[in-house]
Amino acid sequence: MDPGLRDLRLFMALAEEQHFTRAAALEGVSQPALTRAVARLERSLGARLVDRTTRSVTLTTAGERLRGDLAAVLPRLDAALRAVKEADVLRLGFTWLLPSELARHLIDGLAAATGSQVQLVRRDDRWGGVADGSTDAAIVYGGTGTIPSLRTVELATEARVVAVARDHPLARRRRLRWAELAAYPLVVNAVSGTVGPEMWPAGERPAVAVSSRNYDEWIEMVAAGRGIGVLPAAAREHPHPGVRYIAVADSPEVSLELVLPAHATHPLAQAIERYVRGAGDLGGPRG
């Protein structure tokens, strides 16, 4: 029996996340469905792809090889199918925060120059859906490195702010310093990324009060006073009634990045890349 394309995609999600629950949530399936898909794939190929324990997932040698091969093949297949169905639609991913002014500029410019449409797609993973092929490009806050199947282009850098509950002791402050934050437990988004304790020097790091799986959980935990959060200053564009944002005078900057597949990039994503690199306008060649 030949492996199905859906099972291959689910395996890739598991290979990237190395966690059944997160990979299943990312793909919108139940954990048992993901487990069955991986088992079908292993039976079809006659090889064990993952080693499972109650706490971790590790790829076998065969699994690592399959992931490497699929990372090159699946984007090309997606591009071929998309060329037939959606030649004039760009799926632009984002995670938990999309800077509205920049996005509006790119979307309006692309529509005016090419007559194409942009479909905004929120994906709660650090690459905005580009790694698993569910988006053609993404605008995300970076700083966590990259993987071989992707490339990134820096769009801008931005300061960070602290998010605290309205009744938190820090809520009356107008400005903080980075070193001060180490005294307060953090709420961390473990899936799509907010600041974690590794941003501080060893021995001076804040504790992690609680981890969340997406931005919505994260902001509600901050509002409930479970801990403080640190995120890009653009968060002020999306106020929460239970949260106050405070400037940090000396915070490390965070980069805003355009994420693209390393191969078989959508022509409209190529146009955006040329534009942000300063090598052309949004109406340039689409080949």
Side-chain angles (χ1 to χ4, degrees), residues 179-277:
E180 292 182 74
L181 306 184
Y184 299 90
L186 291 175
V187 178
V188 174
N189 184 335
V191 177
S192 57
T194 53
V195 167
E198 67 280 354
M199 292 289 296
W200 282 263
E204 302 174 20
R205 292 175 175 171
V208 175
V210 63
S211 293
S212 67
R213 296 168 296 178
N214 55 55
Y215 175 76
D216 305 293
E217 290 180 359
W218 181 89
I219 195 70
E220 294 302 333
M221 290 177 182
V222 171
R226 299 288 301 278
I228 68 170
V230 184
L231 70 173
R236 288 171 163 166
E237 297 179 12
H238 306 275
H240 184 287
V243 172
R244 182 164 183 263
Y245 299 107
I246 307 169
V248 183
D250 56 344
S251 69
E253 290 190 326
V254 59
S255 61
L256 182 65
E257 298 174 346
L258 177 68
V259 181
L260 303 157
H263 307 286
T265 307
H266 192 292
L268 294 173
Q270 292 176 6
I272 291 179
E273 181 183 11
R274 286 192 299 270
Y275 175 73
V276 300
R277 288 186 183 276

Side-chain angles (χ1 to χ4, degrees), residues 23 50 64 74 89 94 146 154 188 235:
V50 298
E64 288 284 5
L74 284 181
V89 177
F94 66 102
T146 189
E154 186 175 85
V188 174

Side-chain angles (χ1 to χ4, degrees), residues 2-286:
D2 292 332
L5 181 58
R6 181 58 174 159
D7 289 350
L8 293 173
R9 293 191 192 284
L10 290 174
F11 166 75
M12 280 298 285
L14 179 62
E16 296 295 344
E17 292 297 325
Q18 306 225 341
H19 192 283
F20 271 94
T21 301
R22 290 200 300 265
L26 183 65
E27 291 298 313
V29 300
S30 67
Q31 185 172 331
L34 175 60
T35 301
R36 289 193 296 271
V38 174
R40 279 195 303 271
L41 189 56
E42 289 179 324
R43 287 196 302 271
S44 175
L45 298 176
R48 193 174 77 256
L49 301 175
V50 298
D51 287 326
R52 312 163 179 85
T53 70
T54 57
R55 308 186 70 170
S56 66
V57 175
T58 305
L59 295 184
T60 64
T61 301
E64 288 284 5
R65 179 174 179 179
L66 181 61
R67 175 170 67 171
D69 290 342
L70 289 178
V73 171
L74 284 181
R76 292 179 180 273
L77 176 59
D78 289 335
L81 297 174
R82 195 168 54 241
V84 176
K85 296 192 303 181
E86 300 179 344
D88 293 322
V89 177
L90 177 74
R91 300 170 302 166
L92 184 64
F94 66 102
T95 53
W96 43 276
L97 181 61
L98 181 66
S100 58
E101 184 176 348
L102 173 64
R104 191 163 50 244
H105 172 71
L106 292 177
I107 291 168
D108 292 349
L110 192 66
T114 67
S116 303
Q117 298 179 355
V118 172
Q119 176 188 359
L120 289 175
V121 181
R122 174 174 164 175
R123 297 289 287 179
D124 287 315
D125 74 84
R126 65 182 61 87
W127 306 115
V130 181
D132 67 4
S134 58
T135 62
D136 304 306
I139 298 175
V140 303
Y141 285 96
T144 57
T146 189
I147 56 180
S149 61
L150 304 178
R151 67 181 191 277
T152 61
V153 182
E154 186 175 85
L155 301 174
T157 58
E158 193 172 313
R160 290 181 165 98
V161 295
V162 177
V164 301
R166 289 282 178 178
D167 58 355
H168 193 279
L170 292 176
R172 288 177 284 183
R173 298 278 299 274
R174 299 190 61 177
R175 188 171 293 269
L176 295 163
R177 299 195 69 82
W178 186 254
E180 292 182 74
L181 306 184
Y184 299 90
L186 291 175
V187 178
V188 174
N189 184 335
V191 177
S192 57
T194 53
V195 167
E198 67 280 354
M199 292 289 296
W200 282 263
E204 302 174 20
R205 292 175 175 171
V208 175
V210 63
S211 293
S212 67
R213 296 168 296 178
N214 55 55
Y215 175 76
D216 305 293
E217 290 180 359
W218 181 89
I219 195 70
E220 294 302 333
M221 290 177 182
V222 171
R226 299 288 301 278
I228 68 170
V230 184
L231 70 173
R236 288 171 163 166
E237 297 179 12
H238 306 275
H240 184 287
V243 172
R244 182 164 183 263
Y245 299 107
I246 307 169
V248 183
D250 56 344
S251 69
E253 290 190 326
V254 59
S255 61
L256 182 65
E257 298 174 346
L258 177 68
V259 181
L260 303 157
H263 307 286
T265 307
H266 192 292
L268 294 173
Q270 292 176 6
I272 291 179
E273 181 183 11
R274 286 192 299 270
Y275 175 73
V276 300
R277 288 186 183 276
D281 59 35
L282 287 167
R286 293 179 54 188

